[in-house]
Amino acid sequence: MEDFWTGVLWAVKIWLYLIISLIMIPAMFGFSLGISETYMTILVKTLEWATLKMQKAHAEEQALKASAANGLIQREGGSMEKELGELRASRPKPPVGGDFTLSDCFYFTRRGIESIVEDEVTQRFTSEELVSWNLLTRTNNDFEYISLKLTLVYGLGIFVRYCILAPLRITLACIGLSWLVIGTSAVGLLPNWRIKSWLSEWVHVMCYRICARGLSATIRYHNRENKPQKGGICVANHTTPIDIVILCNDGCYAMVGQVHGGLMGVIQRAMVRSCPHVWFERAEMKDRHLVTKRLKDHVNDKKKLPILIFPEGTCVNNTSVMMFKKGSFEIGGTIYPVAIKYDPKFGDAFWNSSKYSMVSYLLRMMTSWALVCNVWYLPAMHQQEGEDAVQFANRVKSAIAHQGGLVDLQWDGGLKRAKVKDTFKEQQQKKYSSMVVGDDSSSNSD
Amino acid sequence: MGSRASTLLREEEIEEIKKETGFSHSQITRLYSRFTSLDKGENGTLSREDFQRIPELAINPLGDRIINAFFPEGEDQVNFRGFMRTLAHFRPIEDNEKSKNSPASEPLNSRTNKLLFAFRLYDLDRDDKISRDELLQVLRMMVGVLEKVDVEQKMSIRFLH
């Protein structure tokens, strides 16, 4: 019996030594031993092979799927004026009164039914549909028996993901997070010398690198010359809280956010000791002036780290960019846009917060294949003369959407939980009534 | 690679819906997964609130009338079968369907049924007649209340002294 326990102890020791020498030390100094690269190459090859196998098995169905991959229906996206004009072209104009025709309801009805079948907003808050199965059961495609080989690979995949990768990743995440808390607290005790900020940055980046390895993140940074500078604001599209880990792998940011309880709270309190992050109490958050003022003070201090803000205010499923809240664009200072695009083939990065808690989301991420993502640094942007915050926010949003290959949407991400405001309906009605009545005529349509 | 939704929908049900509505097998499974994602109560039926949660529909001036078309008189729930029946009105008429002459059972997407659907949008009290009042009410839904302000402004003169 004693032999057994010494054996276990010995195995654990070896395990930890391996982690430290193969992962922790490279992470500390930011170099790579090429293990994850090899893993990625094998993974890409396997998935390609599996796709090929499945395509062979369902040759016709695949063609159908591919054509339907981007939508269930085909829309004729004309404006209200154009479509109503076409509808009325074949109809005689009513002899008296306004310009109303009974067939006008066709336009609204078709639009309404189209949005029931497929809409732009609610679908952004559910997982993205995949074109081909990536050997994970939880995606839109369920497991189905195709061939013995494929089933064996699938089984092997489960073994590797749950029995080898998951324990390794969980150990790493624990080490990374506890190191973050200990490290930042320790640095926080130092006097305010120059070495403090240097050490704080080092501790932060090191912890994020360990965490990123805990998610097998393969991150490609593009246009590094545009990296956010001190005294600026970095804005990015938001898919998951992991976005922070991804961005901080390449440099430190000052975070802005609400004070959380639980595990997040412990981390937040530790971090703020070594580095000036901006955390707000829930009540303070409501006071817009106070928020703007604190952020302004931060930006004006050129020695402080760039602020990282996700102006969408909610996680979107990485197929689109939704409305940017104007608050972050009212602060002034240089805006550094960043586009983040995850590759859904290796695992769904989107955090569906209404369905999964933070911990179960992280466990899902750790049992996925890997986290592959591209980060583009865009050239700095400034507010132009005669441009208000909303227009500026839209300009930045389009730039990010264009670079990341995401759909640029006008809708507010807050609709995930709240209902749409009546004013939007009134806008539609106004548009139609101006067509029926005409802008200047006071003739009533009845 | 059937989608996950198809496992919850029985094969014979799909066949029946296929016959009734003319949608294809894959269209039915995809619309079923849409149906279940709209069904927040997860009870296999949709309520009016479930529809109103779609922002694009909520801003549609005729949104309430369209939603109403899904619900038979006096009911607040619609199941997948009923949902598909209403959607079927909007399936395009294909060439091979035109030539088919079967007056006994007219397909849901026929010209007459499409027109009947539009007619019912105006027929608020479902008495198969559109009254002057109903027409006015629907028109008001489409243009909103803005006109009233307009009239008040245009029909007033500012008197000085």
Side-chain angles (χ1 to χ4, degrees), chain A residues 109-374:
Chain A
T109 315
R110 218 192 63 208
R111 275 296 156 94
I113 298 286
E114 276 174 352
S115 62
I116 290 172
V117 173
E118 209 168 51
D119 77 305
E120 282 187 330
V121 187
T122 58
Q123 284 178 323
R124 307 295 169 187
F125 304 134
T126 51
S127 293
E128 191 178 348
E129 276 188 40
L130 289 172
V131 184
S132 71
W133 186 42
N134 61 357
L135 301 178
L136 296 176
T137 30
R138 50 184 161 230
T139 37
N140 57 317
N141 300 309
D142 215 342
F143 176 77
E144 191 191 1
Y145 184 82
I146 292 167
S147 72
L148 184 67
K149 261 194 210 158
L150 202 66
T151 313
L152 281 177
V153 171
Y154 170 72
L156 189 70
I158 291 187
F159 175 75
V160 170
R161 284 189 290 119
Y162 284 87
C163 302
I164 299 175
L165 290 178
L168 176 72
R169 287 170 178 173
I170 292 167
T171 328
L172 277 177
C174 291
I175 294 175
L177 287 178
S178 45
W179 185 218
L180 186 68
V181 173
I182 298 166
T184 47
S185 304
V187 171
L189 294 175
L190 292 175
N192 262 335
W193 292 336
R194 275 189 68 182
I195 194 160
K196 181 182 173 182
S197 62
W198 183 82
L199 261 179
S200 148
E201 222 172 299
W202 190 62
V203 167
H204 269 95
V205 171
M206 180 166 66
C207 299
Y208 288 124
R209 285 205 187 115
I210 296 170
C211 290
R213 276 169 166 77
L215 295 159
S216 299
T218 308
I219 315 163
R220 279 180 223 107
Y221 297 98
H222 305 267
N223 307 332
R224 271 209 157 102
E225 68 275 8
N226 295 328
K227 251 179 80 172
Q229 305 297 319
K230 282 186 177 170
I233 301 168
C234 169
V235 296
N237 58 313
H238 199 21
T239 309
T240 149
I242 294 172
D243 287 341
I244 298 168
V245 178
I246 300 289
L247 287 177
C248 290
N249 255 276
D250 199 32
C252 249
Y253 295 93
M255 250 75 84
V256 179
Q258 222 175 67
V259 175
H260 287 267
L263 177 68
M264 277 294 279
V266 174
I267 298 170
Q268 281 183 329
R269 276 197 295 279
M271 277 163 76
V272 82
R273 275 189 212 121
S274 72
C275 173
H277 296 288
V278 191
W279 303 129
F280 292 101
E281 297 289 339
R282 186 172 272 276
E284 283 180 324
M285 217 54 189
K286 292 212 177 82
D287 188 352
R288 289 178 52 96
H289 289 286
L290 183 92
V291 173
T292 321
K293 196 184 163 297
R294 274 184 68 183
L295 291 180
K296 257 191 187 142
D297 291 346
H298 187 108
V299 170
N300 288 334
D301 189 345
K302 296 286 177 227
K303 275 184 299 209
K304 285 189 174 162
L305 293 168
I307 299 178
L308 175 61
I309 296 179
F310 299 108
E312 280 170 307
T314 186
C315 297
V316 180
N317 75 353
N318 213 234
T319 59
S320 61
V321 188
M322 295 192 125
M323 191 188 86
F324 278 9
K325 299 225 166 25
K326 65 175 196 278
S328 6
F329 299 88
E330 282 169 340
I331 302 163
T334 318
I335 298 278
Y336 296 94
V338 174
I340 308 172
K341 173 76 185 159
Y342 293 90
D343 191 337
K345 222 170 30 194
F346 302 99
D348 181 22
F350 167 61
W351 181 32
N352 192 347
S353 55
S354 44
K355 219 164 144 191
Y356 304 105
S357 71
M358 186 69 204
V359 175
S360 67
Y361 165 74
L362 284 178
L363 284 179
R364 280 167 71 91
M365 287 313 300
M366 285 175 185
T367 52
S368 291
W369 291 114
L371 192 69
V372 178
C373 88
N374 282 293

Side-chain angles (χ1 to χ4, degrees), chain A residues 58 62 68 72 75 100 102 104-106 108-109 112-113 115-117 119-123 129 133 137-140 142 144 411 415 420 424-425 428-430 432-433 444-446, chain B residues 1-4 30-31 34 38 51-62 64 66 70 83 87 90 115 117-118 121-122 135-136 139 141-144 146-147 150-151 154:
Chain A
H58 300 264
Q62 200 66 30
L72 190 57
R75 294 200 196 210
F100 166 75
L102 276 170
D104 286 353
C105 74
F106 288 180
F108 292 111
T109 315
I113 298 286
S115 62
I116 290 172
V117 173
D119 77 305
E120 282 187 330
V121 187
T122 58
Q123 284 178 323
E129 276 188 40
W133 186 42
T137 30
R138 50 184 161 230
T139 37
N140 57 317
D142 215 342
E144 191 191 1
W411 293 93
L415 290 172
V420 63
F424 289 101
K425 188 173 184 168
Q428 295 283 314
Q429 290 170 328
K430 202 169 175 179
Y432 177 71
S433 82
N444 220 319
S445 47
D446 51 346
Chain B
M1 274 189 302
S3 70
R4 178 170 294 188
R30 294 201 61 180
L31 284 167
R34 172 67 173 163
L38 289 176
F51 283 103
Q52 272 150 2
R53 238 175 255 123
I54 306 170
E56 277 162 69
L57 189 60
I59 67 158
N60 191 315
L62 288 182
D64 286 334
I66 296 164
F70 282 86
F83 178 76
L87 286 187
F90 292 85
L115 283 171
F117 189 97
L121 283 179
Y122 289 105
L135 187 60
L136 259 177
L139 188 57
M141 285 179 205
M142 285 157 86
V143 297
L146 296 142
E147 255 174 285
D150 213 38
V151 171
K154 297 253 155 75

